[in-house]
Amino acid sequence: MNFITSKENHLFKRWKKLPKEQVLLEGEHLCQSWLSTYGKPKATLISEHAVGKYARYGHQDGQTFILADRLFNQLSSVPSPQGVMYWVDIPIENTQEVLEENALLLDRIQDPGNLGTILRNAAAAGVRLVYLSSGCANPWSDKVLRSAQGAHFVLKILTQQNLSQVIQHKKIPIFATTLSKTAKNLYTFNIPPSCAWLMGNEGSGIEKTLLDLVDDSIFIPQDSCVESLNVGVASALVLFEQRRQSFYSQK
Amino acid sequence: MNFITSKENHLFKRWKKLPKEQVLLEGEHLCQSWLSTYGKPKATLISEHAVGKYARYGHQDGQTFILADRLFNQLSSVPSPQGVMYWVDIPIENTQEVLEENALLLDRIQDPGNLGTILRNAAAAGVRLVYLSSGCANPWSDKVLRSAQGAHFVLKILTQQNLSQVIQHKKIPIFATTLSKTAKNLYTFNIPPSCAWLMGNEGSGIEKTLLDLVDDSIFIPQDSCVESLNVGVASALVLFEQRRQSFYSQK
């Protein structure tokens, strides 16, 4: 193990200012999730006060570092750090040319908490592929990682996607969720086992040019007393209704 | 209209330090929601820069105040205030003795964003009654108000409730959502049109003594690759499945 106590340490300086291809995964749950999918990180960072608890997260090849608490806290994004981080390369996903498996397409989802929730929902519902348009929050930011709870490591997350091109080359139906009452009712609509869902920006919804390309628009019937559901919640309702119809419905 | 430009103004001082029975509702949407349910507020506060836009929110009886932007911003809880607030008395709900209508029971939901989302989901699903245990976030805090998007004004929200007493005097079935695989599957379970749902703390779930009192425990079947769903999302899935079975299912 190596001890780092100076802010002039060259590694500490690198961690403070990571290139966009790298990220520090913070906390036991994210580190565990990384480990079970990708194996060893580039390095394990442990806070001085937490050595006893997290020493087992370290590896035997020298790439484990104990940081003085005050340094560790500078790298942390939470007020009370657990005391363990993995330094990793963000997995690079090759753009999938043709959309032919269950997927989510996200058009400018800006709130990191919402994006994290949507990724977590997708993973829980069994979807493995997510396309993010430009204008979405950075999926590898602290907040998104925290609210997705490890979903990143079971998903293929494609960023900066041209959704209109993705839709034009699709091989399965794509449905948009909208608030329009002329759209079809989620609960009476026959959802095919293979399809993709397009969800739109928190304020302005789905871009009109994309809406024109989808197979059907779907609304979630709700009481008229509130304007709409949060986009994270809406994504769960459509994905789990698809799952219900596939697995639990007698047709 | 009255102009307030000094931080020594007695009203400004009151608004800075409101008693717990009062709250400032911030932003057009919350003010509109209040207006359509409860009518006039105690007072309308408008930021100097936004007078042109929000003058119509004022009332003709002198209880409208224009505040210098720097003062308004001190009362605001967001980085870029829209410029309108209502000063209101928090509606007092008499404790309902007997649980006999569709309801949510929340056991120590601590995150304000989660609580707001749950309230919004309840309103959207048509539930009107929510019991909060002690240990829940304050439902009238800024963050909860913001994420509930006006749901407060169509709900009856009972705080500091002894959930165990509520359950013991219930007249309809109560179901708990759990992660236990021995619980019943939400999608094959016959949900009665009238029932209540018990949701538990983000970390520790539902308190054991409460769990023992419910009629059935229900789980939401999901892919095993992620640990669990966010409690806000879980509340939507159970409430909307209940709604689906009531309105859209051919039994």
Side-chain angles (χ1 to χ4, degrees), chain B:
Chain B
M1 302 230 190
N2 311 276
F3 288 82
I4 299 182
T5 53
S6 162
K7 66 181 169 39
E8 298 306 322
N9 177 284
H10 74 286
L11 275 169
F12 180 73
K13 284 182 176 171
R14 283 179 73 179
W15 295 327
K16 282 275 284 182
K17 208 171 174 174
L18 285 178
K20 68 180 190 338
E21 300 78 18
Q22 298 177 356
V23 69
L24 293 173
L25 300 177
E26 178 159 14
E28 201 166 355
H29 184 71
L30 285 181
C31 291
Q32 279 287 8
S33 302
W34 176 272
L35 199 60
S36 61
T37 308
Y38 294 105
K40 273 196 310 191
K42 295 167 74 77
T44 303
L45 285 59
I46 301 174
S47 185
E48 201 179 356
H49 82 274
V51 173
K53 191 165 175 200
Y54 293 119
R56 69 195 159 83
Y57 277 76
H59 296 283
Q60 301 308 314
D61 57 3
Q63 291 305 298
T64 299
F65 300 88
I66 315 297
L67 278 72
D69 288 351
R70 72 178 188 291
L71 295 183
F72 190 96
N73 293 350
Q74 282 185 47
L75 301 177
S76 169
S77 61
V78 293
S80 310
Q82 287 185 9
V84 63
M85 287 183 192
Y86 275 0
W87 177 29
V88 303
D89 287 316
I90 292 176
I92 309 274
E93 306 291 356
N94 292 318
T95 301
Q96 183 143 340
E97 300 275 323
V98 180
L99 169 55
E100 53 192 347
E101 63 173 293
N102 284 352
L104 267 185
L105 282 70
L106 305 181
D107 178 26
R108 297 164 297 130
I109 300 294
Q110 287 176 328
D111 180 83
N114 284 344
L115 181 54
T117 300
I118 293 173
L119 297 177
R120 187 175 172 184
N121 295 341
V127 168
R128 290 289 167 270
L129 179 60
V130 185
Y131 295 82
L132 273 58
S133 76
S134 57
C136 279
N138 171 11
W140 295 92
S141 67
D142 300 326
K143 277 194 184 169
V144 179
L145 280 163
R146 240 187 347 264
S147 67
Q149 292 271 314
H152 287 71
F153 311 126
V154 297
L155 296 173
K156 187 165 181 176
I157 302 172
L158 306 175
T159 56
Q160 303 292 330
Q161 296 290 299
N162 180 326
L163 296 186
S164 134
Q165 279 183 20
V166 173
I167 298 177
Q168 278 161 19
H169 294 91
K170 74 191 171 63
K171 293 203 167 163
I172 54 175
I174 297 197
F175 306 118
T177 52
T178 73
L179 296 176
S180 158
K181 291 289 159 37
T182 61
K184 294 184 177 163
N185 181 328
L186 174 68
Y187 297 118
T188 54
F189 186 72
N190 230 325
I191 307 172
S194 246
C195 70
W197 294 93
L198 172 60
M199 318 284 309
N201 176 269
E202 290 91 344
S204 59
I206 297 167
E207 200 185 284
K208 174 79 172 60
T209 54
L210 293 177
L211 258 189
D212 290 342
L213 298 172
V214 303
D215 293 274
D216 265 306
S217 287
I218 309 288
F219 78 94
I220 301 166
Q222 60 171 78
D223 202 286
S224 58
C225 68
V226 283
E227 270 183 27
S228 68
L229 290 159
N230 166 284
V231 66
V233 167
S235 70
L237 290 173
V238 299
L239 293 177
F240 276 83
E241 176 60 11
Q242 180 186 1
R243 196 173 160 91
R244 185 195 70 76
Q245 289 191 19
S246 297
F247 295 150
Y248 302 108
S249 156
Q250 285 118 26
K251 286 187 183 171

Side-chain angles (χ1 to χ4, degrees), chain A residues 24-28 30 49 69 72-85 142-143 145-147:
Chain A
L24 293 173
L25 300 177
E26 178 161 12
E28 201 167 356
L30 285 181
H49 81 274
D69 288 350
F72 190 95
N73 294 349
Q74 282 184 48
L75 300 178
S76 168
S77 61
V78 294
S80 310
Q82 288 185 9
V84 63
M85 288 184 193
D142 301 325
K143 279 195 184 168
L145 280 162
R146 239 188 346 264
S147 67

